Each structure stands twice: as C-alpha cells, then as structure tokens.
Amino acid sequence: MAAIVRAIDRWGRAIVLTEACWRFHILSRRPYFNGYENACIKDTIEEPDHVVHDVDYENRENYYRRSPLPPPYDRVFLKVVVEFAGDDEGGIASGEVVTIYLTDRLKPGEHQKWP
Amino acid sequence: MAVTNMRTFNPVLRWSPASDMTKVTFDFDRRADILSVYLYGEPRPSIEYVLDDHILLSLDPETEEVVGLQLDGFLAHAIYEFPAFLEIADLIGLTNEEVARVRGRINPEARKRAALESFLGHVEPLKAAG
C-alpha cells in the first residue's frame, strides 16, 4: 500500500504512514484529522516531545507531541503509535504508523525512551 | 523543552445503563488492538483521557462529557482483566479460535469476578431500594 507520509526519527529510522492506515484506521474513526497528516505524523515523529516504549507491544514505540490541531483539539498531546519491523541490512529498523489519537497525558506504564 | 499550558479535564458522565443501550456500539481496530465503545451510537470527536495503561475515557473536547471508552491493548491485555467482553466477541469480530485461546488463558479468579460483578449489578439496586 502506498505511503503518503514518510518521516525519519531522531534515531535515523524511516517511518511511513500508509494510505490504508490513514483512510481506513484513522480518518474513518477520527475525521477531524483530515488535512493534518503531515503536521500530525511527520512533525510528531521528527520532533517529538516524548518517545516511549509501548506498554503491551515490544516492537512498538509511541511518539507524543503537542497537538497541531486548532481548538478544541489543542493543548493536548497527539500520540502516534509506530510498529517497527526487523532491522534492515544496515541495522536500522523501519516503522509503520499503526494509529494516532489525542490524549491528555502519557500512560503511567510507558517507559521513557527519550528525552 | 517542557510542554506547558496543557489542558486538564473534569470528565462528566451523563450516560447511564438506563439510557438507550441499543445506541451503544463497539469498534475493534485489530491492527492497533484497540476496542472503542461509542455510548451514543457512532464515533464522536474526542480526547482520550487516561485512567490507566489500558482504559481511557473518550471525552467530548468541548463539554468534557464521556462519550465513549477506549481499551488499549485489548487482546494483548485488557480482555484478560475484563473477560466479560467475551460476551460481545461476535459483535467485535473475534474468531472462535481467538475466543477459545483467550478463555484458556483467563485467570479463574478473573472469571469468577466477571460473573459476580455482572450479577451484583442487578442486586445492588435492590439493596438500595430495601
């Protein structure tokens, strides 16, 4: 499936958002994200406020950044859930966005990766 | 740089089981492993308010009313903590194999608790009336 957003995180990992994920998993449930794919995905992955390890999935990391949406969706965190495949030949993992949502805080059990 | 001036929320619950249960719908995003419960029939714009690692309240961003629930890590964790959700396995698209696998892994004490909590939900109003 075609990638509509590509980002490189601070560890040099390439992360993509596919069209299928954007349309069928994210916009179908949260249409207010429409038009914000670059601001939500690329900016959050490349310039996060926090990066944490997922509570349940070892191969997932979650990126948090202040929401780029206008009121009433502002002043909260945007959370981008990324699932990583195995390392490529250069030892760099690649990832795919699984979902995104707005939230008031990080989860208590999410162990911090960065900062 | 620390993130400042973030909103705080005071969730308001107006929905009750006495409300129209036919409007309650469930949506299981298998890829993300997230079960969403929509109390008023369809997804509404929401901010997910973290209660714990797996339970989030979906709040209307303007009124802060609870319009739904979100269970993260549903098959990975939450269904073992709340086995009563197996009752709607067919509504959320779980296969018979998945149901059998989950049932086989549920702690017996969790199963007893789920059964009793369902029953006590009927008993409590009687106790209050008495």
Coordinates of all heavy atoms in Angstrom, one line a residue, chain A residues 7 12 23 33-35 40 45 59 67 74 82 90 96 105 111:
Chain A
A7 N 8.7 9.8 7.3 CA 9.5 10.6 8.3 C 10.7 9.8 8.7 O 10.7 8.6 8.6 CB 8.6 10.9 9.4
G12 N 17.3 7.9 13.2 CA 17.5 7.5 11.8 C 16.6 6.5 11.2 O 16.9 6.0 10.1
R23 N -6.7 6.3 5.8 CA -8.1 6.3 5.5 C -9.0 5.4 6.3 O -10.1 5.8 6.8 CB -8.3 6.0 4.0 CG -7.7 7.1 3.1 CD -8.2 6.8 1.6 NE -7.5 7.8 0.7 CZ -7.9 9.1 0.6 NH1 -8.9 9.6 1.4 NH2 -7.2 9.9 -0.2
F33 N -8.9 14.7 11.8 CA -7.5 14.8 11.5 C -7.3 15.0 10.0 O -6.2 15.2 9.5 CB -6.8 13.4 11.8 CG -6.5 13.3 13.3 CD1 -6.9 12.1 14.0 CD2 -5.8 14.2 14.0 CE1 -6.6 11.9 15.3 CE2 -5.4 14.0 15.3 CZ -5.9 12.9 16.0
N34 N -8.4 15.1 9.2 CA -8.3 15.2 7.8 C -7.5 16.5 7.4 O -7.9 17.6 7.9 CB -9.7 15.2 7.1 CG -9.6 15.1 5.6 OD1 -8.7 14.5 5.1 ND2 -10.6 15.6 4.9
G35 N -6.5 16.4 6.6 CA -5.7 17.5 6.2 C -4.5 17.8 7.0 O -3.7 18.6 6.7
C40 N 0.6 16.1 11.7 CA 0.4 15.1 12.8 C 1.5 14.1 12.8 O 2.1 13.7 13.8 CB -0.9 14.4 12.6 SG -2.3 15.4 13.1
I45 N 6.8 12.6 14.6 CA 7.9 11.6 14.6 C 9.3 12.3 14.5 O 10.2 11.9 15.2 CB 7.7 10.7 13.4 CG1 6.5 9.8 13.7 CG2 9.0 9.9 13.1 CD1 6.1 8.9 12.6
N59 N 7.6 -4.3 20.0 CA 8.0 -3.7 18.8 C 7.3 -2.4 18.4 O 7.3 -2.0 17.3 CB 7.9 -4.7 17.7 CG 6.4 -5.1 17.4 OD1 5.6 -4.9 18.3 ND2 6.1 -5.7 16.3
S67 N -0.5 18.8 20.3 CA -1.4 18.7 19.2 C -1.3 19.9 18.3 O -1.3 21.1 18.7 CB -2.8 18.6 19.7 OG -3.8 18.8 18.6
D74 N -6.7 21.5 20.7 CA -5.4 22.0 21.1 C -5.1 21.7 22.5 O -5.9 21.3 23.3 CB -5.3 23.5 20.7 CG -6.2 24.3 21.5 OD1 -7.3 23.8 21.9 OD2 -5.9 25.5 21.9
V82 N 3.7 3.7 16.6 CA 4.5 3.2 15.5 C 5.0 1.7 15.8 O 5.5 1.4 16.9 CB 5.8 4.0 15.2 CG1 6.7 3.4 14.1 CG2 5.4 5.5 14.9
G90 N 21.4 -2.5 7.0 CA 22.3 -1.6 7.7 C 22.1 -1.5 9.2 O 22.7 -0.7 9.9
E96 N 6.1 1.6 10.8 CA 4.8 2.0 10.2 C 3.9 2.5 11.2 O 3.8 1.9 12.3 CB 4.2 0.7 9.5 CG 3.1 1.0 8.6 CD 2.7 -0.2 7.8 OE1 3.6 -0.9 7.3 OE2 1.5 -0.5 7.7
R105 N -2.5 12.8 28.5 CA -1.2 12.5 29.2 C -0.6 11.3 28.6 O -1.2 10.5 27.9 CB -1.4 12.4 30.7 CG -2.1 11.1 31.1 CD -2.6 11.2 32.5 NE -3.8 12.0 32.7 CZ -4.4 12.1 33.8 NH1 -4.0 11.5 34.9 NH2 -5.5 12.8 33.9
H111 N 7.4 3.3 29.5 CA 8.8 3.6 29.9 C 9.4 4.6 28.9 O 9.3 4.4 27.7 CB 9.6 2.4 30.1 CG 9.1 1.5 31.2 ND1 9.1 1.9 32.5 CD2 8.7 0.2 31.1 CE1 8.6 0.9 33.2 NE2 8.3 -0.2 32.4

